[in-house]
Amino acid sequence: MSAPLPAIRALPSWLLGRAAARGRALVAEALAAEGMKMWHHVVLSAVADLGPVAQAELGRSIGLDPKDLVGVLNDLQTSGLVVRAPDPGDRRKNAVSLTAEGERVLRSCETAALEANDVLMAPLSASEREQFMGLLIRISGTDG
Amino acid sequence: MSAPLPAIRALPSWLLGRAAARGRALVAEALAAEGMKMWHHVVLSAVADLGPVAQAELGRSIGLDPKDLVGVLNDLQTSGLVVRAPDPGDRRKNAVSLTAEGERVLRSCETAALEANDVLMAPLSASEREQFMGLLIRISGTDG
DNA sequence: CGAGAATCGTTGGGAGTCCCAACGGTAGGG
DNA sequence: CCCTACCGTTGGGACTCCCAACGATTCTCG
């Protein structure tokens, strides 16, 4: 259709950026209906998976800067979705936990995010999606 | 290794974001040696592919906002890599073209970007890379 | 036990990405 | 001729990602 841009289109980094931008936009739009941002959802999900967890470990597990994590947690705590409790075993740490409301909102976010990802992956068949995810995990540097 | 985050890791949008961030960081580091940013390289490459081209079409072809394109072109023109000439056929348009120096720098950027992408795709075999690129193109919404 | 290194949460700062609205100038269609 | 549409430009703003430093606390090792 549009003029081909062979040089730049042949770069995986370029295509990854475009695809990620598309995915981000779709998910952001879906989460906006819940009044949530991408990182709010991610942090909420990580807290649910890790249980009561210190902020530093939380940030490391999702690759979020501690500085930004403070802001996200402030928002989530103000909204009553998480609580920060002092860790009696290590007074430097805050044990972050989900509230019941947090669990509820998390489920809404997960539904919205899944639907958005379905739109994102629509061009691919089920087996292709699985294939794609397998390759993507190895590229993302999320493991190891 | 680290605690699994099944919920968030199962989202293609999340993995795409992580992979794209990794790719961006690698390419940015490689281009920094040439004193270039990602968009500088992309614009330079697009100008080379499209020949003398108006800014609006340039921006559309690479998905860059006209506002940001102005800044990039200003930088490139100041560095003597591109020239903006008034289009005699349509006085609204600027015909953007590469200079000889621009072509030289573009080649350096392409080499650097290719090497960075090689590092990015290192976990995948040659055939897997091809497979991945095919799927990625359809996800990115770059075609059609 | 005591001094130094390391980690915790927090604050501050900054570059880069992505998108929207509005302006004067120019071109095309009715 | 007038209205619409496009051009390049300017201004603004939200979000992402990363680095440096601080006081408080814990750990390590002599």
Side-chain angles (χ1 to χ4, degrees):
Chain A
M1 177 99 278
S2 68
L5 294 169
I8 213 61
R9 270 206 201 181
L11 289 179
S13 57
W14 169 252
L15 287 174
L16 270 176
R18 302 310 303 173
R22 196 166 90 92
R24 239 184 309 145
L26 285 168
V27 171
E29 185 185 16
L31 289 180
E34 316 283 339
M36 301 281 285
K37 310 287 184 184
M38 188 210 310
W39 283 118
H40 292 165
H41 172 209
V42 172
V43 168
L44 218 54
S45 176
V47 173
D49 284 336
L50 300 175
V53 59
Q55 292 184 200
E57 188 189 342
L58 193 53
R60 277 191 297 266
S61 71
I62 55 179
L64 182 59
D65 190 90
K67 145 78 172 267
D68 303 319
L69 183 54
V70 171
V72 171
L73 284 178
N74 286 345
D75 293 345
L76 293 177
Q77 191 165 24
T78 300
S79 303
L81 307 183
V82 302
V83 288
R84 276 189 270 208
D87 182 336
D90 188 336
R91 286 186 302 179
R92 293 173 301 178
K93 299 183 181 178
N94 283 339
V96 182
S97 315
L98 241 65
T99 65
E101 175 73 359
E103 282 188 37
R104 199 190 61 71
V105 171
L106 174 56
R107 265 187 288 274
S108 297
C109 287
E110 278 171 347
T111 301
L114 280 175
E115 286 172 5
N117 271 276
D118 225 58
V119 176
L120 174 65
M121 302 288 275
L124 267 48
S125 72
S127 70
E128 283 173 329
R129 295 187 195 191
E130 212 166 316
Q131 225 179 76
F132 183 68
M133 287 291 285
L135 298 172
L136 190 53
I137 286 181
R138 290 158 63 192
I139 293 295
S140 67
T142 310
D143 50 42
Chain B
M1 180 94 287
S2 68
L5 294 167
I8 212 62
R9 271 207 201 180
L11 290 178
S13 58
W14 170 252
L15 287 174
L16 269 176
R18 302 310 303 174
R22 196 166 90 92
R24 236 183 311 145
L26 285 168
V27 172
E29 185 186 16
L31 289 180
E34 316 283 339
M36 302 281 286
K37 311 287 185 184
M38 187 211 307
W39 281 117
H40 293 161
H41 172 209
V42 172
V43 169
L44 218 54
S45 175
V47 172
D49 285 336
L50 300 174
V53 59
Q55 293 185 201
E57 188 190 342
L58 194 52
R60 276 191 297 266
S61 70
I62 56 179
L64 182 60
D65 191 89
K67 145 78 173 270
D68 303 319
L69 183 55
V70 171
V72 172
L73 284 178
N74 286 346
D75 292 345
L76 293 177
Q77 191 164 24
T78 300
S79 304
L81 307 183
V82 303
V83 288
R84 277 189 269 210
D87 183 335
D90 189 337
R91 284 187 303 179
R92 294 173 300 178
K93 299 183 182 178
N94 283 338
V96 183
S97 315
L98 242 64
T99 65
E101 176 73 359
E103 282 188 37
R104 197 190 61 73
V105 171
L106 174 57
R107 263 187 289 274
S108 297
C109 287
E110 278 171 348
T111 301
L114 280 176
E115 286 172 6
N117 271 275
D118 225 57
V119 175
L120 174 65
M121 302 288 275
L124 266 48
S125 72
S127 70
E128 283 173 329
R129 297 187 195 190
E130 214 166 314
Q131 220 178 84
F132 183 68
M133 287 291 285
L135 298 171
L136 190 53
I137 285 182
R138 290 158 63 192
I139 293 295
S140 68
T142 310
D143 50 42

mmCIF file with all atom_site columns, all heavy atoms in Angstrom, chain B residues 30-43:
data_model
loop_
_atom_site.group_PDB
_atom_site.id
_atom_site.type_symbol
_atom_site.label_atom_id
_atom_site.label_alt_id
_atom_site.label_comp_id
_atom_site.label_asym_id
_atom_site.label_entity_id
_atom_site.label_seq_id
_atom_site.pdbx_PDB_ins_code
_atom_site.Cartn_x
_atom_site.Cartn_y
_atom_site.Cartn_z
_atom_site.occupancy
_atom_site.B_iso_or_equiv
_atom_site.pdbx_formal_charge
_atom_site.auth_seq_id
_atom_site.auth_comp_id
_atom_site.auth_asym_id
_atom_site.auth_atom_id
_atom_site.pdbx_PDB_model_num
ATOM 1   N N   . ALA B 1 30 ? 24.013 2.124  20.526 1.00 0.00 ? 30 ALA B N   1
ATOM 2   C CA  . ALA B 1 30 ? 24.825 1.984  19.323 1.00 0.00 ? 30 ALA B CA  1
ATOM 3   C C   . ALA B 1 30 ? 24.855 3.286  18.525 1.00 0.00 ? 30 ALA B C   1
ATOM 4   O O   . ALA B 1 30 ? 25.894 3.690  18.008 1.00 0.00 ? 30 ALA B O   1
ATOM 5   C CB  . ALA B 1 30 ? 24.286 0.844  18.455 1.00 0.00 ? 30 ALA B CB  1
ATOM 6   N N   . LEU B 1 31 ? 23.694 3.954  18.438 1.00 0.00 ? 31 LEU B N   1
ATOM 7   C CA  . LEU B 1 31 ? 23.620 5.191  17.650 1.00 0.00 ? 31 LEU B CA  1
ATOM 8   C C   . LEU B 1 31 ? 24.301 6.354  18.367 1.00 0.00 ? 31 LEU B C   1
ATOM 9   O O   . LEU B 1 31 ? 24.740 7.310  17.721 1.00 0.00 ? 31 LEU B O   1
ATOM 10  C CB  . LEU B 1 31 ? 22.154 5.547  17.367 1.00 0.00 ? 31 LEU B CB  1
ATOM 11  C CG  . LEU B 1 31 ? 21.431 4.635  16.377 1.00 0.00 ? 31 LEU B CG  1
ATOM 12  C CD1 . LEU B 1 31 ? 19.990 5.095  16.191 1.00 0.00 ? 31 LEU B CD1 1
ATOM 13  C CD2 . LEU B 1 31 ? 22.143 4.598  15.042 1.00 0.00 ? 31 LEU B CD2 1
ATOM 14  N N   . ALA B 1 32 ? 24.368 6.266  19.694 1.00 0.00 ? 32 ALA B N   1
ATOM 15  C CA  . ALA B 1 32 ? 24.988 7.354  20.445 1.00 0.00 ? 32 ALA B CA  1
ATOM 16  C C   . ALA B 1 32 ? 26.434 7.550  20.022 1.00 0.00 ? 32 ALA B C   1
ATOM 17  O O   . ALA B 1 32 ? 26.957 8.672  20.053 1.00 0.00 ? 32 ALA B O   1
ATOM 18  C CB  . ALA B 1 32 ? 24.904 7.065  21.948 1.00 0.00 ? 32 ALA B CB  1
ATOM 19  N N   . ALA B 1 33 ? 27.084 6.458  19.602 1.00 0.00 ? 33 ALA B N   1
ATOM 20  C CA  . ALA B 1 33 ? 28.468 6.561  19.142 1.00 0.00 ? 33 ALA B CA  1
ATOM 21  C C   . ALA B 1 33 ? 28.567 7.453  17.909 1.00 0.00 ? 33 ALA B C   1
ATOM 22  O O   . ALA B 1 33 ? 29.613 8.043  17.647 1.00 0.00 ? 33 ALA B O   1
ATOM 23  C CB  . ALA B 1 33 ? 29.008 5.167  18.835 1.00 0.00 ? 33 ALA B CB  1
ATOM 24  N N   . GLU B 1 34 ? 27.476 7.544  17.149 1.00 0.00 ? 34 GLU B N   1
ATOM 25  C CA  . GLU B 1 34 ? 27.448 8.398  15.956 1.00 0.00 ? 34 GLU B CA  1
ATOM 26  C C   . GLU B 1 34 ? 26.819 9.755  16.277 1.00 0.00 ? 34 GLU B C   1
ATOM 27  O O   . GLU B 1 34 ? 26.613 10.572 15.375 1.00 0.00 ? 34 GLU B O   1
ATOM 28  C CB  . GLU B 1 34 ? 26.623 7.726  14.839 1.00 0.00 ? 34 GLU B CB  1
ATOM 29  C CG  . GLU B 1 34 ? 26.900 6.244  14.644 1.00 0.00 ? 34 GLU B CG  1
ATOM 30  C CD  . GLU B 1 34 ? 28.212 6.017  13.897 1.00 0.00 ? 34 GLU B CD  1
ATOM 31  O OE1 . GLU B 1 34 ? 28.657 6.956  13.215 1.00 0.00 ? 34 GLU B OE1 1
ATOM 32  O OE2 . GLU B 1 34 ? 28.787 4.930  14.017 1.00 0.00 ? 34 GLU B OE2 1
ATOM 33  N N   . GLY B 1 35 ? 26.456 9.942  17.536 1.00 0.00 ? 35 GLY B N   1
ATOM 34  C CA  . GLY B 1 35 ? 25.810 11.185 17.920 1.00 0.00 ? 35 GLY B CA  1
ATOM 35  C C   . GLY B 1 35 ? 24.397 11.307 17.397 1.00 0.00 ? 35 GLY B C   1
ATOM 36  O O   . GLY B 1 35 ? 23.876 12.409 17.230 1.00 0.00 ? 35 GLY B O   1
ATOM 37  N N   . MET B 1 36 ? 23.763 10.152 17.150 1.00 0.00 ? 36 MET B N   1
ATOM 38  C CA  . MET B 1 36 ? 22.412 10.169 16.584 1.00 0.00 ? 36 MET B CA  1
ATOM 39  C C   . MET B 1 36 ? 21.399 9.568  17.559 1.00 0.00 ? 36 MET B C   1
ATOM 40  O O   . MET B 1 36 ? 21.745 8.756  18.411 1.00 0.00 ? 36 MET B O   1
ATOM 41  C CB  . MET B 1 36 ? 22.392 9.370  15.275 1.00 0.00 ? 36 MET B CB  1
ATOM 42  C CG  . MET B 1 36 ? 23.356 9.877  14.224 1.00 0.00 ? 36 MET B CG  1
ATOM 43  S SD  . MET B 1 36 ? 22.742 11.334 13.361 1.00 0.00 ? 36 MET B SD  1
ATOM 44  C CE  . MET B 1 36 ? 21.487 10.585 12.314 1.00 0.00 ? 36 MET B CE  1
ATOM 45  N N   . LYS B 1 37 ? 20.152 9.984  17.411 1.00 0.00 ? 37 LYS B N   1
ATOM 46  C CA  . LYS B 1 37 ? 19.060 9.399  18.165 1.00 0.00 ? 37 LYS B CA  1
ATOM 47  C C   . LYS B 1 37 ? 18.282 8.452  17.238 1.00 0.00 ? 37 LYS B C   1
ATOM 48  O O   . LYS B 1 37 ? 18.450 8.490  16.029 1.00 0.00 ? 37 LYS B O   1
ATOM 49  C CB  . LYS B 1 37 ? 18.116 10.488 18.682 1.00 0.00 ? 37 LYS B CB  1
ATOM 50  C CG  . LYS B 1 37 ? 18.817 11.627 19.382 1.00 0.00 ? 37 LYS B CG  1
ATOM 51  C CD  . LYS B 1 37 ? 19.324 11.207 20.746 1.00 0.00 ? 37 LYS B CD  1
ATOM 52  C CE  . LYS B 1 37 ? 19.925 12.407 21.472 1.00 0.00 ? 37 LYS B CE  1
ATOM 53  N NZ  . LYS B 1 37 ? 20.524 12.014 22.769 1.00 0.00 ? 37 LYS B NZ  1
ATOM 54  N N   . MET B 1 38 ? 17.389 7.681  17.833 1.00 0.00 ? 38 MET B N   1
ATOM 55  C CA  . MET B 1 38 ? 16.607 6.723  17.058 1.00 0.00 ? 38 MET B CA  1
ATOM 56  C C   . MET B 1 38 ? 15.866 7.404  15.920 1.00 0.00 ? 38 MET B C   1
ATOM 57  O O   . MET B 1 38 ? 15.938 6.982  14.772 1.00 0.00 ? 38 MET B O   1
ATOM 58  C CB  . MET B 1 38 ? 15.609 6.017  17.964 1.00 0.00 ? 38 MET B CB  1
ATOM 59  C CG  . MET B 1 38 ? 14.858 4.879  17.276 1.00 0.00 ? 38 MET B CG  1
ATOM 60  S SD  . MET B 1 38 ? 13.200 4.652  17.929 1.00 0.00 ? 38 MET B SD  1
ATOM 61  C CE  . MET B 1 38 ? 13.555 4.496  19.677 1.00 0.00 ? 38 MET B CE  1
ATOM 62  N N   . TRP B 1 39 ? 15.162 8.465  16.221 1.00 0.00 ? 39 TRP B N   1
ATOM 63  C CA  . TRP B 1 39 ? 14.339 9.110  15.205 1.00 0.00 ? 39 TRP B CA  1
ATOM 64  C C   . TRP B 1 39 ? 15.189 9.776  14.131 1.00 0.00 ? 39 TRP B C   1
ATOM 65  O O   . TRP B 1 39 ? 14.765 9.897  12.975 1.00 0.00 ? 39 TRP B O   1
ATOM 66  C CB  . TRP B 1 39 ? 13.391 10.129 15.837 1.00 0.00 ? 39 TRP B CB  1
ATOM 67  C CG  . TRP B 1 39 ? 12.202 9.472  16.465 1.00 0.00 ? 39 TRP B CG  1
ATOM 68  C CD1 . TRP B 1 39 ? 11.863 9.489  17.784 1.00 0.00 ? 39 TRP B CD1 1
ATOM 69  C CD2 . TRP B 1 39 ? 11.191 8.708  15.814 1.00 0.00 ? 39 TRP B CD2 1
ATOM 70  N NE1 . TRP B 1 39 ? 10.708 8.778  17.987 1.00 0.00 ? 39 TRP B NE1 1
ATOM 71  C CE2 . TRP B 1 39 ? 10.275 8.286  16.795 1.00 0.00 ? 39 TRP B CE2 1
ATOM 72  C CE3 . TRP B 1 39 ? 10.977 8.331  14.494 1.00 0.00 ? 39 TRP B CE3 1
ATOM 73  C CZ2 . TRP B 1 39 ? 9.152  7.510  16.500 1.00 0.00 ? 39 TRP B CZ2 1
ATOM 74  C CZ3 . TRP B 1 39 ? 9.873  7.551  14.190 1.00 0.00 ? 39 TRP B CZ3 1
ATOM 75  C CH2 . TRP B 1 39 ? 8.970  7.152  15.191 1.00 0.00 ? 39 TRP B CH2 1
ATOM 76  N N   . HIS B 1 40 ? 16.358 10.238 14.504 1.00 0.00 ? 40 HIS B N   1
ATOM 77  C CA  . HIS B 1 40 ? 17.256 10.799 13.496 1.00 0.00 ? 40 HIS B CA  1
ATOM 78  C C   . HIS B 1 40 ? 17.603 9.752  12.451 1.00 0.00 ? 40 HIS B C   1
ATOM 79  O O   . HIS B 1 40 ? 17.556 10.001 11.247 1.00 0.00 ? 40 HIS B O   1
ATOM 80  C CB  . HIS B 1 40 ? 18.523 11.330 14.164 1.00 0.00 ? 40 HIS B CB  1
ATOM 81  C CG  . HIS B 1 40 ? 18.279 12.521 15.035 1.00 0.00 ? 40 HIS B CG  1
ATOM 82  N ND1 . HIS B 1 40 ? 19.145 12.935 16.014 1.00 0.00 ? 40 HIS B ND1 1
ATOM 83  C CD2 . HIS B 1 40 ? 17.246 13.380 15.089 1.00 0.00 ? 40 HIS B CD2 1
ATOM 84  C CE1 . HIS B 1 40 ? 18.658 14.002 16.629 1.00 0.00 ? 40 HIS B CE1 1
ATOM 85  N NE2 . HIS B 1 40 ? 17.505 14.292 16.071 1.00 0.00 ? 40 HIS B NE2 1
ATOM 86  N N   . HIS B 1 41 ? 17.921 8.559  12.947 1.00 0.00 ? 41 HIS B N   1
ATOM 87  C CA  . HIS B 1 41 ? 18.248 7.469  12.046 1.00 0.00 ? 41 HIS B CA  1
ATOM 88  C C   . HIS B 1 41 ? 17.045 7.095  11.181 1.00 0.00 ? 41 HIS B C   1
ATOM 89  O O   . HIS B 1 41 ? 17.173 6.924  9.969  1.00 0.00 ? 41 HIS B O   1
ATOM 90  C CB  . HIS B 1 41 ? 18.718 6.257  12.861 1.00 0.00 ? 41 HIS B CB  1
ATOM 91  C CG  . HIS B 1 41 ? 18.910 5.008  12.040 1.00 0.00 ? 41 HIS B CG  1
ATOM 92  N ND1 . HIS B 1 41 ? 18.751 3.758  12.575 1.00 0.00 ? 41 HIS B ND1 1
ATOM 93  C CD2 . HIS B 1 41 ? 19.215 4.828  10.728 1.00 0.00 ? 41 HIS B CD2 1
ATOM 94  C CE1 . HIS B 1 41 ? 18.976 2.862  11.624 1.00 0.00 ? 41 HIS B CE1 1
ATOM 95  N NE2 . HIS B 1 41 ? 19.255 3.469  10.499 1.00 0.00 ? 41 HIS B NE2 1
ATOM 96  N N   . VAL B 1 42 ? 15.893 6.978  11.819 1.00 0.00 ? 42 VAL B N   1
ATOM 97  C CA  . VAL B 1 42 ? 14.687 6.577  11.090 1.00 0.00 ? 42 VAL B CA  1
ATOM 98  C C   . VAL B 1 42 ? 14.353 7.591  9.999  1.00 0.00 ? 42 VAL B C   1
ATOM 99  O O   . VAL B 1 42 ? 14.056 7.222  8.861  1.00 0.00 ? 42 VAL B O   1
ATOM 100 C CB  . VAL B 1 42 ? 13.501 6.424  12.064 1.00 0.00 ? 42 VAL B CB  1
ATOM 101 C CG1 . VAL B 1 42 ? 12.211 6.203  11.294 1.00 0.00 ? 42 VAL B CG1 1
ATOM 102 C CG2 . VAL B 1 42 ? 13.751 5.273  13.024 1.00 0.00 ? 42 VAL B CG2 1
ATOM 103 N N   . VAL B 1 43 ? 14.393 8.873  10.351 1.00 0.00 ? 43 VAL B N   1
ATOM 104 C CA  . VAL B 1 43 ? 14.073 9.909  9.377  1.00 0.00 ? 43 VAL B CA  1
ATOM 105 C C   . VAL B 1 43 ? 15.090 9.907  8.240  1.00 0.00 ? 43 VAL B C   1
ATOM 106 O O   . VAL B 1 43 ? 14.723 9.973  7.055  1.00 0.00 ? 43 VAL B O   1
ATOM 107 C CB  . VAL B 1 43 ? 14.026 11.292 10.058 1.00 0.00 ? 43 VAL B CB  1
ATOM 108 C CG1 . VAL B 1 43 ? 13.965 12.399 9.013  1.00 0.00 ? 43 VAL B CG1 1
ATOM 109 C CG2 . VAL B 1 43 ? 12.831 11.372 10.993 1.00 0.00 ? 43 VAL B CG2 1
#
